Amino acid sequence: MLVVSFEECYHARDVLPTIMNVCNLTCMMGSQLHRTDKIFIDGFTMYNAKHPSNNNRGGASVIIRSSLKHNLIKIIETEEFQAVVILITTELGSFNVGAVYTPPKSKLSSQDYIAFFGQLGSSYLIGGDWNAKNPRWGSRITNPKGKALEEAVN
C-alpha cells in the first residue's frame, strides 16, 4: 500500500519525523532548504528543489521510502518554479509524483503552467503551493496566477 502525504511546511526538519513514521511518500512545498543542507532519514531517499537564491525560502521536496521502485525525473530550480518529479513503478503501473512551489511574486502565464504539466506525462499526481488564488479551489479572491492556472487546467 502506498501512503502519500502532501505537506506545506516552513521548516522541513520539524515535520519529517512524524510524517515519515506513517507515510511511504511525502511531497513538501516550502521546504526552505539551503544548498548545503543535508537531511538523512534512514530508509528514505530525499530529492530537493531549492530556491536559486540559496536563502531559506521556497523550495520543494519529495521523500520516498527507498524500497519503493522509483526514479528521479526532473528537478526545477528557477525563480518562478521549484519542483521535484519522480516516477514510481508499482504492480499496477507507473506514474509521476511531484511537489511544486511557486513564490507569491512570480509571474506565470497559462502557457507556463501548460508547459510544466506537459513535462509530466499522462499519469501524474502533483501537489503544490502554487500561490495561485481562485474560488475554484477555495480562495475568496482570484489573482493573476490563479486565473492563469485555471486556464491551464481547463
Side-chain angles (χ1 to χ4, degrees):
M1 176 171 55
L2 182 64
V3 179
V4 180
S5 167
F6 287 93
E7 303 291 330
E8 183 176 4
C9 66
Y10 295 102
H11 298 288
R13 286 182 173 83
D14 295 342
V15 298
L16 288 177
T18 303
I19 294 169
M20 301 325 293
N21 282 332
V22 295
C23 295
N24 298 318
L25 171 68
T26 296
C27 297
M28 295 190 312
M29 293 66 73
S31 49
Q32 298 191 359
L33 298 173
H34 281 116
R35 297 232 171 264
T36 57
D37 287 344
K38 303 285 186 219
I39 298 175
F40 296 99
I41 306 161
D42 192 36
F44 289 85
T45 303
M46 184 173 187
Y47 301 100
N48 300 301
K50 299 170 183 170
H51 192 278
S53 71
N54 197 29
N55 291 330
N56 269 12
R57 61 186 225 199
S61 300
V62 172
I63 306 158
I64 185 167
R65 194 170 297 278
S66 299
S67 60
L68 293 175
K69 188 172 180 182
H70 70 279
N71 294 317
L72 176 65
I73 298 297
K74 181 174 284 296
I75 292 178
I76 300 171
E77 296 178 318
T78 66
E79 288 286 333
E80 295 78 22
F81 272 103
Q82 290 102 59
V84 177
V85 181
I86 64 169
L87 173 71
I88 296 176
T89 303
T90 71
E91 60 277 356
L92 300 175
S94 298
F95 59 98
N96 290 334
V97 176
V100 177
Y101 179 78
T102 63
K105 293 182 181 179
S106 65
K107 298 190 182 340
L108 297 167
S109 68
S110 59
Q111 290 305 312
D112 294 324
Y113 290 115
I114 290 168
F116 174 74
F117 293 135
Q119 299 175 52
L120 301 178
S122 59
S123 299
Y124 60 87
L125 177 64
I126 294 291
D129 180 353
W130 303 90
N131 283 299
K133 299 185 184 328
N134 192 303
R136 184 168 174 191
W137 41 84
S139 296
R140 294 183 323 271
I141 62 169
T142 301
N143 67 4
K145 283 176 36 176
K147 184 174 187 219
L149 183 55
E150 180 181 30
E151 289 171 2
V153 297
N154 280 338

